[in-house]
């Protein structure tokens, strides 16, 4: 059991690293939580499902790639670390803009419409509540909507591909890979559900400063993973 703790903790760090930065999806999730808790909880599960799916594909392919590049394994680790550092650096730089971005009430959704505006998945006008908004049908639509919105983000796929390829043989065993994926899934889901809870309790606005700090913490974890992967240097 002890030997599975390391990949599980690595997976949890990876899951938080990709989930914590508050981008457009997080803003939309907070806004949905302010209106309909059950629908937002289903949406949060959709986001975590995509994170887990990308991690699973990357974990399945990572050891295979690593096995075919054994002679240059150290350089592969270094290249993967460079990719992760680039993602972290870009995210940290973007956090400066996050502090100046209008709060969720004025945010714009990923499709270009105001985030608070009604969509095809809404059961009524923005901010209005109807009988089935929080029911199974509304929750199912919210889940699928957020799966689609999250899946089109290529950074998530690139992030897990770099992370798992660099770890190579460490995730080659079935138990270790399962522990890693379990850590990713649980950490991502818990963070998304925490956002839902914040939205339900607050019902108001999240400050730009708070959003910027989630960027810094999340991408700080990504940078830490990159450094861990890069050492020892070739």
């Amino acid at each position: 059991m002890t030997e599975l703790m390391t990949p599980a903790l690595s997976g949890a760090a990876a899951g938080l690293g990709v989930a914590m930065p508050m981008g457009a999806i997080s803003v939309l999730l907070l806004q949905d939580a302010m209106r309909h808790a059950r629908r937002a909880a289903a949406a949060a599960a959709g986001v975590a499902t995509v994170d887990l799916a990308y991690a699973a594909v990357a974990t399945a392919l990572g050891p295979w790639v690593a096995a075919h590049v054994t002679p240059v394994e150290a350089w592969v680790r270094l290249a993967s670390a460079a990719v992760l550092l680039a993602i972290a650096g870009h995210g940290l730089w973007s956090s400066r803009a996050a502090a100046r971005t209008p709060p969720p009430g004025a945010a714009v959704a990923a499709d270009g419409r105001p985030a608070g505006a009604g969509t095809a998945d809404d059961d009524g006008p923005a901010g209005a509540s109807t009988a089935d908004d929080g029911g199974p049908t509304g929750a199912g639509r919210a889940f699928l909507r957020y799966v689609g919105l999250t899946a089109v983000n290529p950074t998530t796929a690139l992030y897990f591909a770099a992370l798992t390829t660099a770890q190579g043989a460490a995730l080659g065993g079935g138990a270790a890979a399962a522990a890693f994926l379990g850590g990713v899934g649980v950490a991502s889901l818990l963070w998304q559900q925490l956002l839902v809870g914040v939205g339900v309790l607050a019902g108001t606005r999240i400050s730009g400063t708070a959003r910027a700090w989630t960027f810094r913490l999340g991408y700080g974890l990504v940078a830490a993973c990159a450094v861990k992967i890069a050492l020892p240097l070739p």
Side-chain angles (χ1 to χ4, degrees):
M1 183 65 67
T2 306
E3 62 272 15
L4 297 181
M5 187 61 68
T6 298
L9 291 176
S10 295
L16 287 175
V18 78
M20 285 182 69
M22 278 188 66
I25 298 299
S26 298
V27 171
L28 287 173
L29 191 59
L30 278 169
Q31 290 186 318
D32 274 346
M34 291 172 191
R35 294 195 294 267
H36 305 287
R38 185 181 299 179
R39 187 175 69 183
V47 176
T49 296
V50 175
D51 288 347
L52 181 59
Y54 275 137
V57 171
T59 301
L61 297 178
W64 181 87
V65 172
H68 288 74
V69 293
T70 300
V72 289
E73 181 266 343
W75 293 103
V76 171
R77 283 192 296 102
L78 197 59
S80 297
V83 171
L84 292 175
L85 281 175
I87 292 173
H90 181 268
L92 289 170
W93 178 262
S94 298
S95 70
R96 298 175 61 190
R100 300 189 297 268
T101 300
V108 176
D111 57 8
R113 292 171 293 188
T119 70
D121 298 307
D122 289 329
D123 295 306
S129 175
T130 66
D132 6 64
D133 253 355
T137 303
R141 284 201 297 269
F143 177 87
L144 293 176
R145 178 189 178 205
Y146 277 78
V147 164
L149 288 173
T150 309
V152 298
N153 181 8
T155 303
T156 303
L158 182 62
Y159 169 74
F160 282 118
L163 195 62
T164 55
T165 299
Q167 297 188 61
L171 299 178
F180 176 82
L181 292 176
V184 169
V186 170
S188 178
L189 181 60
L190 287 178
W191 178 258
Q192 307 303 338
Q193 295 296 350
L194 176 62
L195 283 182
V196 171
V198 169
V200 170
L201 291 175
T204 53
R205 309 209 267 181
I206 301 299
S207 71
T209 300
R211 291 179 59 203
W213 273 108
T214 67
F215 271 85
R216 291 164 189 160
L217 290 172
Y219 285 115
L221 278 174
V222 176
C225 287
V227 172
K228 183 177 181 295
I229 284 170
L231 300 175
L233 294 173

